[in-house]
Structures are given as structure tokens and as C-alpha cells.
Amino acid sequence: MSKPKQVTIVDVAEEAGVSIATVSNVLNRGGIRSSKETIRKVEQAAERLGYRRNTMAAGLSRNKTYEIGLIVPGLNGYYGQLAEHLQVEAHNRGYHLSVFSSGGFDPEIERRNLEVLQQRRVDGLICHGLAMGFESTRSIVNSGTPLVLINGWDWPEDIAIGAVNLGFASACEQSVKLLLERGCRTLCYVSSKRSKAIDEQRHIGFIRGMERYGNGINYEVADAKDLDVDVFLRKMREGHPAPIGIVAFDDHVALRLICGTLRLGIELPEEMKIVGINNDYIAEHSYPGLTSWDIPYTFQAQMAIDKLLSKLSNQQAAEQDEREINVPLTLIERHTTNALKGGVNEHVAKGN
Amino acid sequence: MSKPKQVTIVDVAEEAGVSIATVSNVLNRGGIRSSKETIRKVEQAAERLGYRRNTMAAGLSRNKTYEIGLIVPGLNGYYGQLAEHLQVEAHNRGYHLSVFSSGGFDPEIERRNLEVLQQRRVDGLICHGLAMGFESTRSIVNSGTPLVLINGWDWPEDIAIGAVNLGFASACEQSVKLLLERGCRTLCYVSSKRSKAIDEQRHIGFIRGMERYGNGINYEVADAKDLDVDVFLRKMREGHPAPIGIVAFDDHVALRLICGTLRLGIELPEEMKIVGINNDYIAEHSYPGLTSWDIPYTFQAQMAIDKLLSKLSNQQAAEQDEREINVPLTLIERHTTNALKGGVNEHVAKGN
DNA sequence: CTGTTAGCGCATTCAC
DNA sequence: GTGAATGCGCTAACAG
């Protein structure tokens, strides 16, 4: 009951009446072909005994784990989705994805996780929004473990080569453009600074949008953390020309804002317009329906895994051509960005 | 660059001028004590060389991995939170938690994940909401891998011994009681059948509440999947005596309902009252604020890990006393369950 | 095609 | 206290 000696290839070999090497051969397919007969015998023996290959022994022997590590700040919302998709893609390519959450950008936890992953001799690493500095990260890279960054915009080139970046900046830029086109006369970006680079990038895009399309129009930036939504909204409405357009850090933040407008009796598409990011469950089901940017998780995950695997095979080879790959988001319009008044078009009607 | 031979205890031994056995001793603490001097030498050598213990080799050698596997239906919302907390607790006890998502109750994926985990020789398994049948699960247990079920209410005793169950049933039962006390004259449970046992349990609680406190009052059950919220709400309002009380499967479902009432102009605390489950971000930030049941994630996680570890040490020993452990939820009242009219008490005001 | 053998990196007796 | 030797389960050359 307590640790009934697991069956090994030795057992299978005996049972099948062949050598352990043969067993290893037929059971991992890659190697030399065996006679039909042998294959059958081995497979049946394995089946009969309930053999299961010992990952550790295999990894130890061939000096390769087929395990890749993932470090994300958390498991909720966007990060959870990403992790899930990465897991699927990794699996599809014969790899195991070990998921680690760094508990919301805690550098300490991040270090520990990294240590564990290195000890596990993972073949590669995918990191998202690292809290630790460049130097620490560089030391990983130099230690020989291939690294793919997701959303590592502001990282030094030697580390970020092959990074997979989501187009948050241009999404925000386009959000600004959209809001202006919809008639907004004041804009605001509600940030989430604790999300670090993820936020920074949106901010940059927002500013760029203002510079490019704003024509000197008034804009503000507020941080969601500790934000008193009601006070904020009231101030926006009273102190600035309407309608007011808001770019929210993500759909969660947007939900808070939407609820604020409901509470204060602010007319949503008329007096104020909001666009979120992530196209969460929230965006689809909130009332009014929230305009948001959809993330192509599957594509993103594929890109990341592909990048990593290519780094694994090509020993430092020429993948120089494509340094960073950019994954664009797509806008899903819903009610919160309707044009001036009651212009409910089909898309919007469906979206909510 | 491409696989720079990782440093091993052999290297450290040479560098420190001792034998590999000694290195192993001082580096894993458990064993025999060594002289201060030796310890220093070894530690410095290890430090200097950047030694990192090879998990596979260690695991192989001592026939124990200190890895425990987790299988959950997904990584979003409740499940993601749970996974994160389990990871922390596992780590606190020196274990590594390997998280697997079965992609929303896909039995196929579940099988694969299980296979992988077994091949990794995980010391134990924590499973939540398995899609596979009893038999398959039992075969795991019999294979010698300790298993702790989370929310495995309806499972056979021999498997579910030591299961950690959340008190969803009594939460729902109490929800019914609450809604009745608040004056509701029609009740409804909006389910999510695809969530299997998780849903079943809530359903049971709801029914029990009706039987116990309902006095023959009218009640209904509808499933959230493919539910046309607006049609549903309209029918509820028109065909039944108000106010109507709704117990939602979770806060996500509740959000949909809340938005429906906003859309249709149904007065929320007056004509209809809603209580959700999970006390998500949504519950706190929706408008009106959603009454919901909070889940003690940390406690739940500790219980699960504790149970598993005790199964690991006690070779089949007497843990018979406590078969299943029940983790109670706590109600967080917000605006959606206010008493008859405008009775906004402090708690509610704060809650929203 | 199949069997023999030598490690992979570490933990663990058991002598010294 | 410390070190030499053995084995964990498997893979990867080689030999046959």
C-alpha cells in the first residue's frame, strides 16, 4: 500500500522475455525499429504490468527534461488564461509546462520559483512581467537556460530577443482615436501602476494617441489603486467638457467605473464612454456592454512556445531575423462607446 | 552556451577538497553533522561554482519527489485562486505543486494529465471536480498514490476519505433562508450544470433550504448555460409573486442577472434579490453590490495539503477519526439582498 | 534487429 | 566525521 514498488523496464523486460534496451526502444518510439513481434510482446507486457516510464530517470539519462517553466504574476484573469493556453500548446509539442505564480510581483517568491525551476533543470523558461531586475534575469540567460519573455517591452535586447509582446500600446492609442471619433472632448487613462510594465505600455500608447490625434485636447491619468471611483467620476464630470472618454487599464477596472456611473446616474454612452482591455467575461456581460480589446490567447501561446522551442534546437543559430514578435489585439465594440446618442447599431445590440 | 554542463556535487567536492558524500551531507542538512570547517568549505565551494541540486537525480535516488500534483477544471476565478493558495501552502511545507488544468472537465485531457503526473512519480495528488469516473480514480488510489479530493461530496468512501469539502450546500441553504427572511415570495436557483458536482451540491442545498424554510413557497431552477437572461427575468417577474429571490451559481452568473435587471429596469433590492457565491472581485465592485459567500482559500488550501501530507507519512495509519473535513463559507452581505425598501444599513453602505 | 554496458547526479549504507 | 561503493530507472552508444 505504501509505495508498492513501481514497475520498471526491468520488470517489463523479464515479462516480455527481452532485454531492457529493447523495451526502452519500443516504448519510446524514437529509436531503432523493432520487429512487429517484439513490439507486440513488449507492449503487452507493459500493459499487463501497468508500466509507466519514470520521468526523472529518463530526464536524468538523456540530460533533457521536456519540461518548461512558466512564471506569471498570478493565476487570475488574463494570466490564468495565458497559462492555460501555454499549457495546451506546450503539451501539443511534447513538453510539460510547470506553472508558477509569483504572487503578484513579489521578487522574493519569484526568486524562489526560479531557483526551483533551475533545480528541476527545465529546458526553457517563459516569463511574464518579471519583478526582478535585468541583471538577475541576464544571469539566468547566461546560465544556459533559454528564456522567452512575454510582454518584455522595455528589456535590454540581449535578454528580450524573441520576446512575444502584445500590442497594448497601439490598442490604447487606437482607443484614444476611437473615443475622439465618437465625440469625446476630455480623455482619461485609468492606470494600474502595480502591474508594472503591463501598465506602462498602455500608458505610453494612451499618451501617443493623445499626441497624435488629440489636437491639444485635455487629458488626465489616474491610478486605479485606492481610487475613490465616485469622487473621481464626479470630478471628471464637473470639471471637464463632456462627453468624457475613459481608457481603463483592464475590464476589471472598467467594471468599477461602469458601476460608478450607474451609481451616480451618469448616462453611459452619452455623458461618458469607456473602453476596457482583455475582453473578459465582464466585458461581455456587464451592463452596459463594455467595449474592449480581445486577446488572441492561442496565437500568443503558440508564438511563445514556438520561440522557445526554436531557441532550444538552434544552438544560438540565426533566428536573428525576427527579434520581437508583436501580437495585435482586436477591438470588440459594445455599448460603452456608442456614438453620440442612442445610435445603437446591430453590432452593439448584439454585443450586449 | 548551449548546455554548459551544469555543476554537480562532484565539481563541488573537488573544489572543496572533500568527497561527494560529504557534500551531499552538508547540502541537505538532514543527515549527519559535519565539522564547522567542512561545512564552510563546502558551502563556499557550492556558492562559488553556482551549484544547484539536480531535482531528478535526488528524486530518483531517494525514491521521493516532493512534488504533488493538482488537477483542476480550469485556472479562472475560484479554481485559479485555489491553485495559487495550494501552491503557496505546498511550498511552505517543502513541496512543489504541479498544476494541471483539465480544460473544463474534459475527461481526455484529465487522463493525460494524470498519466503525466504518475510518470513524474508525484508523491501525492489533489484533485478537484474530476470528470473521470470512480473506477479510474480508484485505480489511482490503489496504485499507491495518495489522493485528496476537494469537493468530492458524492464519492465513494474508500476514495474520498479525507476529502476537503466546501460548505456550498449549507451556504445555499442559508441563502434561501436569508432571502425568505428578507421577504422574498418566489425563489429560484440559477445553476451551472456543466460544473458538475460543484453545481449539484449547491442545488441540493437550495432544495433543502426550500424544504426546511420554504413553507411550500414556489421555487424554480434554471440553468445558466444558454440562458436568455432577459427572457428569464421577465418571465420570473410576470409569472410570480414579488419580490423574487435568486440564488446564483456563482458571482459570474449573478453579474449576468444583475445586468439583466438593470437593462429591464427591475428594481434590484425591491423587486428582486440576488445572492452569489465566491465573493469575487465582481461581487465587490458590481452595482449594486452583490451579496455573496466568501471562500476561505488559505484555510482550505492548508487543510488539503495537511491531509495529503498526513497520508504520505502515516502508512495507512489511523486517521480514521476524521473522514471528511468541511470548510464553511461566510456570508458577505451587500446591496442585492437588502430588506424590503431602502433599508440601507451601515454594512451594506460599506459593502458597496 | 537485439542485448551489453556505461553512465546521468545524487543519497545512502557501511567501513574507516 | 568522512569517504568509497552501490543503486535509483532509464538512455545511448556499441557489439553481436
Side-chain angles (χ1 to χ4, degrees):
Chain A
M1 193 75 190
S2 68
K3 288 283 178 189
K5 298 279 172 293
Q6 300 265 13
V7 357
T8 77
I9 49 172
V10 178
D11 303 321
V12 178
E14 279 178 5
E15 175 84 8
V18 297
S19 78
I20 63 167
T22 305
V23 173
S24 184
N25 276 340
V26 359
L27 257 34
N28 86 13
R29 297 297 180 202
I32 305 90
R33 245 200 283 291
S34 311
S35 74
K36 296 264 183 199
E37 178 57 12
T38 310
I39 293 182
R40 206 186 46 73
K41 279 195 304 186
V42 172
E43 282 179 340
Q44 286 189 356
E47 175 73 44
R48 212 173 314 135
L49 269 47
Y51 169 75
R52 242 182 289 263
R53 178 232 234 111
N54 183 322
T55 308
M56 294 175 293
L60 191 56
S61 176
R62 55 186 163 178
N63 192 30
K64 167 141 170 108
T65 57
Y66 288 96
E67 174 172 354
I68 100 177
L70 170 69
I71 298 187
V72 280
L75 253 32
N76 33 33
Y78 161 74
Y79 294 117
Q81 291 298 311
L82 177 59
E84 204 153 340
H85 286 263
L86 281 171
Q87 184 153 315
V88 171
E89 295 305 329
H91 185 100
N92 288 344
R93 288 170 177 71
Y95 281 77
H96 166 60
L97 187 77
S98 252
V99 182
F100 281 80
S101 157
S102 61
F105 296 102
D106 184 326
E108 179 54 37
I109 300 187
E110 205 171 281
R111 280 223 89 57
R112 289 194 325 207
N113 289 344
L114 251 154
E115 183 61 29
V116 172
L117 286 173
Q118 307 254 75
Q119 288 187 186
R120 299 186 76 81
R121 299 293 190 269
V122 291
D123 292 337
L125 240 30
I126 298 182
C127 297
H128 191 309
L130 281 190
M132 27 179 280
F134 298 154
E135 285 316 320
S136 320
T137 311
R138 184 173 285 120
S139 81
I140 296 171
V141 175
N142 291 337
S143 89
T145 311
L147 204 212
V148 165
L149 287 178
I150 295 190
N151 294 346
W153 299 281
D154 48 351
W155 288 64
E157 275 204 343
D158 59 328
I159 304 179
I161 283 185
V164 175
N165 295 335
L166 282 177
F168 287 135
S170 59
C172 284
E173 187 182 330
Q174 292 308 305
S175 293
V176 169
K177 182 159 178 251
L178 175 75
L179 289 171
L180 290 170
E181 285 172 0
R182 291 286 191 275
C184 291
R185 298 175 54 207
T186 308
L187 289 204
C188 180
Y189 170 57
V190 180
S191 66
S192 171
K193 287 193 179 135
R194 63 170 196 180
S195 294
K196 313 266 180 167
I198 287 299
D199 176 69
E200 190 52 40
Q201 202 60 201
R202 287 153 156 87
H203 192 176
I204 290 172
F206 177 81
I207 300 292
R208 201 163 63 206
M210 290 309 303
E211 288 169 351
R212 204 164 287 181
Y213 311 110
N215 280 323
I217 232 181
N218 214 351
Y219 72 88
E220 303 213 351
V221 174
D223 194 73
K225 170 150 176 156
D226 300 328
L227 179 70
D228 185 322
V229 170
D230 290 14
V231 170
F232 165 72
L233 289 178
R234 236 182 319 248
K235 230 172 52 186
M236 285 305 291
R237 175 163 62 167
E238 287 162 10
H240 304 273
I244 289 166
I246 300 185
V247 177
F249 169 76
D250 68 4
D251 294 345
H252 281 69
V253 170
L255 177 63
R256 280 175 63 195
L257 296 170
I258 290 178
C259 292
T261 63
L262 291 174
R263 224 152 31 221
L264 301 179
I266 298 177
E267 297 292 332
L268 211 36
E270 291 82 10
E271 292 182 70
M272 204 171 273
K273 301 183 198 302
I274 303 181
V275 15
I277 291 183
N278 276 8
N279 195 30
D280 267 350
Y281 180 94
I282 289 179
E284 192 178 341
H285 291 290
S286 75
Y287 180 77
L290 173 64
T291 292
S292 189
W293 292 88
D294 192 58
I295 296 179
Y297 287 110
T298 304
F299 179 68
Q300 183 188 193
Q302 286 173 346
M303 289 302 103
I305 299 286
D306 281 353
K307 268 295 167 212
L308 188 55
L309 295 197
S310 96
K311 282 195 183 189
L312 285 187
S313 50
N314 305 13
Q315 43 268 21
Q316 86 179 73
E319 40 156 337
Q320 314 288 22
D321 47 329
E322 204 176 359
R323 304 184 82 73
E324 302 186 357
I325 113 142
N326 190 281
V327 180
L329 314 190
T330 74
L331 182 70
I332 308 292
E333 276 210 70
R334 296 202 183 82
H335 202 67
T336 55
T337 52
N338 268 6
L340 283 179
K341 296 214 173 195
V344 177
N345 60 43
E346 257 183 56
H347 188 175
V348 171
K350 224 184 66 192
N352 182 34
Chain B
M1 193 74 192
S2 68
K3 288 282 180 189
K5 298 279 173 290
Q6 300 264 13
V7 357
T8 77
I9 50 172
V10 178
D11 303 320
V12 178
E14 279 177 6
E15 175 84 8
V18 297
S19 79
I20 62 166
T22 305
V23 174
S24 184
N25 275 341
V26 358
L27 258 36
N28 87 11
R29 298 296 181 204
I32 305 90
R33 243 201 285 291
S34 310
S35 73
K36 295 264 182 199
E37 178 57 12
T38 310
I39 294 182
R40 206 185 46 73
K41 279 195 305 186
V42 172
E43 282 180 340
Q44 286 189 357
E47 174 73 42
R48 211 173 315 135
L49 269 47
Y51 169 76
R52 242 182 288 263
R53 178 231 236 112
N54 184 321
T55 308
M56 293 176 293
L60 191 56
S61 177
R62 57 186 161 178
N63 191 31
K64 167 142 170 105
T65 56
Y66 288 97
E67 175 172 354
I68 99 178
L70 171 69
I71 297 187
V72 281
L75 253 32
N76 33 33
Y78 161 74
Y79 294 117
Q81 292 297 311
L82 176 59
E84 204 153 341
H85 286 263
L86 282 170
Q87 185 153 314
V88 171
E89 295 306 327
H91 186 100
N92 288 344
R93 289 169 176 70
Y95 281 76
H96 165 60
L97 187 77
S98 252
V99 182
F100 281 79
S101 157
S102 61
F105 297 102
D106 183 326
E108 180 54 37
I109 300 187
E110 206 171 280
R111 280 223 89 57
R112 288 194 325 205
N113 289 344
L114 250 154
E115 183 61 30
V116 172
L117 286 172
Q118 307 253 77
Q119 289 188 182
R120 301 185 74 82
R121 299 294 190 268
V122 291
D123 292 337
L125 240 30
I126 299 182
C127 296
H128 191 310
L130 282 189
M132 26 179 280
F134 298 154
E135 285 315 320
S136 321
T137 311
R138 183 172 285 119
S139 81
I140 295 171
V141 175
N142 291 337
S143 89
T145 311
L147 204 212
V148 165
L149 288 178
I150 295 190
N151 294 346
W153 300 280
D154 48 352
W155 288 64
E157 275 203 343
D158 58 328
I159 303 179
I161 282 185
V164 174
N165 295 334
L166 282 176
F168 287 134
S170 58
C172 284
E173 187 182 331
Q174 292 309 306
S175 293
V176 168
K177 183 160 177 250
L178 175 75
L179 289 171
L180 290 170
E181 284 172 1
R182 291 287 191 274
C184 290
R185 298 174 55 206
T186 308
L187 290 204
C188 180
Y189 170 57
V190 180
S191 67
S192 171
K193 287 193 178 135
R194 64 170 195 181
S195 294
K196 313 266 178 168
I198 287 298
D199 176 70
E200 189 53 39
Q201 202 61 203
R202 287 154 156 87
H203 192 177
I204 290 172
F206 177 81
I207 300 292
R208 202 162 63 205
M210 290 311 302
E211 287 168 352
R212 203 163 288 179
Y213 311 110
N215 280 323
I217 232 180
N218 213 352
Y219 72 88
E220 304 214 349
V221 174
D223 194 73
K225 170 149 177 162
D226 300 326
L227 179 69
D228 185 321
V229 171
D230 291 14
V231 169
F232 165 73
L233 289 177
R234 237 182 318 248
K235 229 171 53 188
M236 286 305 291
R237 176 163 62 167
E238 287 162 10
H240 304 273
I244 289 166
I246 300 185
V247 177
F249 169 76
D250 67 4
D251 294 345
H252 281 69
V253 170
L255 177 64
R256 281 175 63 194
L257 296 170
I258 290 178
C259 291
T261 63
L262 291 174
R263 227 157 22 226
L264 300 179
I266 299 177
E267 297 292 331
L268 211 36
E270 291 82 11
E271 292 183 70
M272 203 171 274
K273 301 183 198 303
I274 303 181
V275 16
I277 292 183
N278 276 8
N279 195 31
D280 266 350
Y281 180 94
I282 288 178
E284 192 178 342
H285 291 290
S286 75
Y287 181 78
L290 173 64
T291 292
S292 189
W293 291 88
D294 191 58
I295 297 178
Y297 287 110
T298 303
F299 178 68
Q300 183 188 193
Q302 286 172 346
M303 289 303 102
I305 300 285
D306 281 354
K307 268 296 167 213
L308 187 56
L309 295 198
S310 96
K311 282 196 182 189
L312 286 187
S313 50
N314 304 14
Q315 44 268 21
Q316 88 178 72
E319 41 156 335
Q320 313 289 22
D321 46 330
E322 203 177 1
R323 303 185 82 74
E324 302 186 357
I325 113 142
N326 190 281
V327 180
L329 314 190
T330 74
L331 182 70
I332 308 292
E333 276 210 69
R334 296 202 183 82
H335 202 67
T336 55
T337 53
N338 269 6
L340 283 180
K341 297 217 172 190
V344 178
N345 60 45
E346 259 183 53
H347 188 172
V348 170
K350 226 184 63 191
N352 182 32

